[in-house]
Amino acid sequence: KEAVTNTFQKVREFIFDLRPMMLDDLGLSPTLKKSIEDFEQKSGIACNLTISGKDIRLPPHAEVTIFRVTQHLLKNVRDHAQATHVQINFSISDDNATVIVEDDGSGFDVAEVLTAARQRKTIGLSTMREQVELLGGEISIDSAVGKGSRVEFRIPVEP
């Protein structure tokens, strides 16, 4: 019975991670807040989320992309960065929705990681770039070994 309960809980978490119902019901800001709180609790990495700008709903495909890319960036921090703190900034202006994820971790050589990802055909940074660019956005990755990482991505806001 305990194994079934644990499996059921894991399936529920997996479904939430893919597309949380909360995203459709309440929008991106509350969903990011809840997701980041859960991440902080599970990973033990201190997180600070700042939300600013307009409080508007975006098209569903844009909200899902912003949620999933942010989630993947946090997963990378947890799995690779050895960080103790992550700052996440989310804002919506007249033109763009912008997310910045910045950590105090070990950092990495951006060119080396992107080249290795293309060669291995992994689904990490290069896939995130594709997802953002499909919506007309752009992503920038700034990191160096021993210096932490800063990833910023912008997705145009449709009028």
Side-chain angles (χ1 to χ4, degrees):
K1 185 176 180 178
E2 185 177 326
V4 169
T5 302
N6 288 339
T7 301
F8 180 68
Q9 182 61 33
K10 287 179 183 177
V11 168
R12 288 183 65 202
E13 289 174 10
F14 182 71
I15 290 168
F16 177 83
D17 287 346
L18 286 176
R19 184 184 175 103
M21 289 176 277
M22 185 178 178
L23 187 58
D24 293 328
D25 296 339
L26 301 178
L28 189 53
S29 294
T31 305
L32 279 175
K33 186 175 186 226
K34 172 74 170 116
S35 177
I36 290 166
E37 287 170 358
D38 290 348
F39 171 82
E40 184 175 30
Q41 182 182 28
K42 290 176 185 174
S43 69
I45 300 171
C47 296
N48 185 41
L49 171 65
T50 303
I51 298 173
S52 61
K54 294 184 167 201
D55 186 18
I56 59 172
R57 294 296 304 259
L58 301 172
H61 60 278
E63 289 188 344
V64 169
T65 298
I66 291 168
F67 176 79
R68 297 284 292 138
V69 171
T70 303
Q71 186 181 47
H72 198 99
L73 290 170
L74 290 173
K75 180 184 177 305
N76 284 352
V77 169
R78 183 193 67 213
D79 293 348
H80 306 294
Q82 301 164 341
T84 60
H85 183 263
V86 182
Q87 172 66 44
I88 305 102
N89 298 319
F90 171 60
S91 65
I92 300 177
S93 69
D94 289 335
D95 302 322
N96 295 297
T98 303
V99 177
I100 300 169
V101 177
E102 194 166 8
D103 69 66
D104 66 353
S106 57
F108 60 95
D109 182 307
V110 176
E112 183 180 302
V113 168
L114 289 175
T115 299
R118 279 190 292 274
Q119 289 172 346
R120 290 190 315 256
K121 299 196 182 337
T122 59
I123 59 169
L125 294 174
S126 55
T127 301
M128 282 187 275
R129 175 168 276 143
E130 288 173 9
Q131 290 174 324
V132 169
E133 289 175 352
L134 278 171
L135 295 178
E138 55 189 33
I139 187 168
S140 65
I141 304 165
D142 183 22
S143 185
V145 176
K147 303 285 187 187
S149 301
R150 182 181 192 276
V151 178
E152 178 175 349
F153 68 95
R154 298 175 189 273
I155 294 178
V157 173
E158 297 174 7

